[in-house]
Amino acid sequence: QSASEPASLPAEDISTNSNGPKQDSLFDDDPEDLFAEATEEVSLDSPERDVLLSDGPSPAITPITPPTSVLTPRIGLHDDMFTHSSFDEVKIEEEEGGDSFDIHISVSDPEKVGDGMNAYMAYKVTTKTSISLFKSHEFSVKRRFSDFLGLHSKLASKYLHIGYIVPPCAGKKHWMTKVKVGKEDQSSNEFVEKRRSALERYLMRTVKLPVLLKDPDVLQFLESSELPRAVSTQALSSAGLLRMVNKAAEAVNKMTIKMNESDAWFEEKQQHFENLDVQLRKLHASMESLVLHRKELSVNTAQFAKSAAMLGNSEDHTALSRALSQLAEVEEKIDQLHQDQANADFYLFSELLGDYVRLITAVKGVFDHRMKTWQKWQDTQMLLQKKREAEAKLQFNNKPDKLQQAKDEIKELEGKVEQGEREFEQISKTIRKEVSRFEKERVKDFKTIIIKYLESLVQTQQQLIKYWDAFLPEAKAIS
Amino acid sequence: SDALSERDKVKFTVHTKSTLPNFKQNEFSVVRQHEEFIWLHDSFVENEEYAGYIKLQKLGEGEGSMTKEEFTKMKQELEAEYLAIFKKTVAMHEVFLCRVAAHPVLRKDLNFHVFLEYNQDLSVRGKNKKEKLEDFFKNVVKSATDVDDFFEHEKTFLLEYHNRVKDASAKSDRMIRSHKNAADDINRIASSLYTLGTQDSTDLCKFFLKVSELFEKTRKIEARVAADEDLKLADLLKYYLRESQAAKDLLYRRSRALVDYENANKALDKARAKNRDVLQAETSQQLCCHKFEKISESAKQELVDFKTRRVAAFRKNLVELAELELKHAKVPFQRHSSDSLYCV
């Protein structure tokens, strides 16, 4: 099955491939022995070790020595990888890149189109750029939510399986959950704003990937006034990706041939992203709780303000009555402050974390694809081996007609094995680049946004000083 | 105030200034004829409840009341004397009313109030007037409960105040609860950031550790704000919730004493009428009266003190609350934030 697969796998196809059963169907005569042989075969010490098996699984092995020259830039950088510095690689990226990154996309003016059951929200997508790829420097189009999902679906199917960390777009399920849990209704201003903001961040993240920026689907999405209606918005959601990754992980555990990482970098990075995932999810959950409590605080402060005003009204000592009214006014201002802070909590910090939780799922997916690519290559190799044995048997038994067929098949398989290796090398290279880009982005994102967020905290404090400073003399004036 | 001789009737303008809540206005005037004064007087006399009081002297015909003919005669004869008598007449009527007004019990009399306020004829002549009068009476009856102005005011005030303090207390508790919850979240966030800082392999690790520190600082601030609000605001409101309830209870006890007193009066009247156990009834009535007067006196002082204490406590706590809020808002969070973080 896998031997004849083309280079670009549609995303959905992957979930049906599980390594375990595939093994069984290909090697039905003696699985045990074959596995044992396979293990032997790929060991460093085996005399049959050839260039194809240079990705030896022994953990003590030196970094990958790729057969093709395309991968040269990577060789000298392994030490850097191990010392956790991604700067050298990044420099090379920038030299190769050329065009300075100057593009800004905004999603705005949400407006309801149509009515009743067929009504939907349309957003204005405005692009401002000096990049030559585009027809003009500033242009706008109207897009609806399903258009965004459609774009993501296309991009994911084209690029995820070859190692690009395609930014996820929160799908319908995500928004439905928000509606249920948050008791928000779809037409509420807050809901619309959340979605608008999320879509904007999605587009900005997407164009930050050079390969996506050049993609015709992206260009069409941003530029073309008419967009064909996305048929399938069953985009590979982060939940879908996660399911897929987990399934694959299960399959790997069942496998008796383990993919021993020759390159510790991948193993280390995978672990790193696992840990990051756990921590970011925890942080995100705490942040969401803070947003909720801050909003509650705002509401309760407003209610207290009203109550204090009423108390002031019924107080018959004039000066105290006035002071209580002033207290009510201060608390009213503070409730607005809490509301603003809750928004900063959410739009700055909480959404950042949510975005990265989804992004890391995409990262995990990409690592998973690499594993599958490796597996596919290994399977083809094993098939080749089997065919060679069969050929030897046929030669021994002197069956000339079947022999020719076997030789043809072997020729074909040899080509496929080469292709499998190339694909594996390619995806590995892409992932290294992508991870370094991703980490660089992550550092920048977190620093920029968290600093902005901290500034919001400082501002809140400053406002509080103002309000209480004004109130203090009023309180002192009570006599 | 003045009297007006109008055709054949002398009409007196009775001008009342009062802060009693059961009058519709603070200052008002009605015009009364002598007959109406008599009507009021008679109503006092006929009222069993006032049996224990010194009877008011009747405004006789011969004393300061004259018919128009007599006035004219006087006028014609001795103008100065006329004026003097006229003044006396007015004065007598005024004294009568003032004596009623000064009397602790009679001043509460319903008829007296009607007399002062009802701006039409009191003399029941003709059905329409009677009906109108009855309507007016009905309205007056509704508002004339506890006539003593101080306690009346206090009762109204305390009822409303207590309810509002209750509400403010509940709302302040909810507000502080949310504040504490937020502080807890910030605590968890600080720990998560710390873990991220220790785990991260990029430049972010130092950054996260620093941010974690800042969040820990924020948490401390928020927690202290919540605690201080609890102490200075929530506790204050809770205390005055209980105090206002206690004040209400005091007023209630006084009302009970009043009812007992009134019942004792009724009992005394009955005893006198039947001329049986009069002494017993008198003693009991005197005891009730004494008790009522005593409780009224102390209650008044109590309520005045309550106000003083309340004002002082609110002042102290609100000042301290504002000072603490300022202290927490001024914690040098600023110094550590943006500038130092950009360098990390």
Side-chain angles (χ1 to χ4, degrees), chain B residues 81 297 329:
Chain B
E81 251 182 61
E297 196 184 309

Side-chain angles (χ1 to χ4, degrees), chain A residues 107-112 121-126 142 192 196:
Chain A
V107 174
S108 62
D109 306 345
E111 71 177 2
K112 197 170 177 198
M121 227 18 130
Y123 302 87
K124 184 168 156 193
V125 178
T126 309
K142 280 250 174 221
V192 171
R196 183 212 65 77

Side-chain angles (χ1 to χ4, degrees), chain A residues 436-452:
Chain A
S436 113
R437 176 196 65 80
F438 178 83
E439 289 289 80
K440 192 172 157 238
E441 276 296 313
R442 180 168 75 91
V443 171
K444 202 167 92 183
D445 267 352
F446 272 74
K447 276 193 178 173
T448 315
I449 292 173
I450 290 179
I451 287 174
K452 236 197 211 163

